[in-house]
Amino acid sequence: MKRLGLPALALVALIFAVSAAWKWRSVKKSTPPPASPPTAGFQHTVGAVGLIEASSENISISTAVSGLVTHVYVRAGETVQARQPLFSLDDRDLKAELVTRQATLEAARDRLAKLEQSPRPEEIPPAEARVREAEAALADAMVQQKLIESVTDRRAIREEDLQRRRQATRAAEAKLDEAKAALALLKAGSWAPDLKIAKAEVTTAEAQLKRLETDIERLTMRAPVAGEILQVNVRAGEYAQVGALAKPLIVMGDTSRLNVRVDVDENEGWKVRADAPAQAAERGNSNQKVSLEFVRFEPYVVPKKSLTGDSTERVDTRVLQVIYRFKDSKVPFRVGQQMDVFISTEGLDNAVVAKGGAR
């Protein structure tokens, strides 16, 4: 039993294990990709990745000064005109100061107008009357002096009275001169330096008011160009920081025509020509291919930002950026969408290749 039973039992267990393992083995079935990879429409091409952007490029709207957002006038997807308000910051303190500046300007203008219109017609008759009064007082003093001087007997008058009459005459002459000088000064109008100072005060007040109005105007961010609002990342009640932000407050651009910013590896940049035909395929829908037309080269070769993760790909790879636009202005694509771009290299002349390509 021991010599035959145990080996037989082991053999049965082995057969069962082998059959179970074969039955339960994992079967790998080939699954088709969700979308077929794009294929080039040219025999010789340069493959690249493109990013759709507005024809005006994507504009990141910032703010001139930091402050609390009080109003947001637009929403994503809206079409705006140039200089249309986008959002505004708190301007209550500046508007309160604006009232003070306006009052200061009005006071300066009133002072200038008063000097320019001087003298008033109503001021001249009283001054002339004071001159006539001084003339009459002088005539009376002169009569009193002549009367006392006409006395032949000096013993009949006191020397003190005589001197008083003479001093009264001199005082009347001085008052007459003063009245005449005041009348002449009044008729001469305002002094030129006073007018100059008043005009300078008005100019200064106007400049201060204009500066304050400019500061208030700067608190309302306006669209630099006509276009579409692509993204709104600011809300009323939030604090808007000045400067370049990782997440722009508002992104907009002219989407009447869409461009494709294509990143061509610097090793193949020399193969790209301005007159070479190009096609773009939509990712996830490789059957959707559209023709592109050349716009321009970006002169500066920039570091590559979109990395594939391949271990052979170096981080310091640089790319030549080429701007294309869709020949059809009504393509069903959106800004920010990635495209697979194929640029034809057919017909490259050997001489051109030897020189490093045409740019």
Side-chain angles (χ1 to χ4, degrees):
M1 186 64 183
K2 291 182 179 179
R3 285 184 299 180
L4 298 177
L6 291 177
L9 182 61
L11 180 59
V12 171
L14 178 61
I15 294 173
F16 175 77
V18 171
S19 62
W22 177 259
K23 183 179 180 180
W24 298 337
R25 76 187 189 280
S26 60
V27 179
K28 295 183 178 180
K29 297 182 179 180
S30 60
T31 57
S36 58
T39 56
F42 313 106
Q43 184 176 1
H44 302 286
T45 64
V46 171
V49 177
L51 192 67
I52 299 178
E53 65 180 16
S55 58
S56 62
E57 299 188 9
N58 300 339
I59 304 173
S60 299
I61 304 298
S62 183
T63 174
V65 294
S66 301
L68 182 68
V69 180
T70 55
H71 295 89
V72 179
Y73 304 104
V74 295
R75 292 182 297 178
E78 289 186 2
T79 301
V80 297
Q81 301 299 321
R83 302 297 300 165
Q84 182 174 335
L86 301 179
F87 66 94
S88 59
L89 305 181
D90 187 8
D91 58 357
R92 289 173 294 179
D93 55 340
L94 295 181
K95 285 187 175 180
E97 187 178 353
L98 180 64
V99 177
T100 303
R101 297 293 185 186
Q102 290 173 341
T104 302
L105 176 59
E106 290 298 325
R109 286 175 175 171
D110 291 342
R111 286 193 295 269
L112 177 60
K114 179 181 178 181
L115 292 176
E116 289 177 341
Q117 297 175 7
S118 180
R120 295 174 53 187
E122 298 84 357
E123 294 177 339
I124 296 178
E128 292 177 341
R130 285 190 289 271
V131 172
R132 291 193 297 270
E133 180 183 7
E135 290 175 345
L138 176 59
D140 181 68
M142 293 177 64
V143 170
Q144 295 296 329
Q145 180 182 348
K146 288 180 179 180
L147 288 175
I148 199 171
E149 289 178 344
S150 63
V151 177
T152 56
D153 188 0
R154 295 298 180 180
R155 293 176 299 175
I157 59 174
R158 294 186 303 173
E159 184 64 23
E160 180 181 358
D161 293 338
L162 178 61
Q163 295 300 326
R164 284 182 178 178
R165 297 291 175 86
R166 291 174 178 174
Q167 292 297 332
T169 301
R170 296 191 186 98
E173 290 175 350
K175 287 184 178 181
L176 177 59
D177 294 339
E178 180 184 3
K180 289 181 178 179
L183 178 60
L185 179 62
L186 184 62
K187 289 182 177 181
S190 300
W191 193 30
D194 289 339
L195 286 172
K196 188 175 181 180
I197 293 173
K199 290 179 180 179
E201 290 177 349
V202 171
T203 302
T204 302
E206 289 176 344
Q208 291 175 346
L209 180 61
K210 184 64 177 178
R211 178 181 177 181
L212 191 58
E213 291 174 344
T214 303
D215 290 340
I216 294 176
E217 176 66 20
R218 292 173 66 203
L219 296 181
T220 300
M221 303 304 113
R222 300 181 180 273
V225 296
E228 181 182 3
I229 302 300
L230 303 175
Q231 193 177 40
V232 178
N233 298 316
V234 63
R235 305 291 182 271
E238 296 180 349
Y239 191 82
Q241 287 282 1
V242 67
L245 304 177
K247 193 175 183 180
L249 301 177
I250 290 179
V251 180
M252 67 163 297
D254 182 5
T255 56
S256 58
R257 291 294 297 267
L258 296 180
N259 289 352
V260 182
R261 184 175 293 270
V262 181
D263 291 342
V264 180
D265 190 283
E266 60 181 345
N267 296 322
E268 296 185 330
W270 60 272
K271 299 179 182 179
V272 179
R273 298 168 298 164
D275 57 347
Q279 286 184 342
E282 184 179 15
R283 289 202 169 181
N285 184 15
S286 58
N287 296 326
Q288 180 75 14
K289 292 182 180 180
V290 292
S291 299
L292 303 176
E293 60 181 0
F294 176 81
V295 177
R296 70 178 185 276
F297 287 108
E298 289 288 334
Y300 184 64
V301 179
V302 298
K304 187 176 182 180
K305 294 182 179 180
S306 177
L307 302 179
T308 63
D310 193 342
S311 60
T312 60
E313 187 172 45
R314 299 179 61 185
V315 178
D316 60 352
T317 300
R318 303 180 75 86
V319 292
L320 170 67
Q321 292 190 329
V322 189
I323 310 300
Y324 289 92
R325 65 167 163 256
F326 296 106
K327 289 186 177 180
D328 184 4
S329 60
K330 297 181 179 180
V331 291
F333 304 135
R334 298 182 181 276
V335 176
Q337 189 174 351
Q338 283 191 332
M339 306 287 288
D340 293 307
V341 179
F342 302 97
I343 306 170
S344 175
T345 60
E346 296 177 359
L348 272 179
D349 188 82
N350 293 332
V352 174
V353 174
K355 293 180 180 179
R359 289 175 170 78

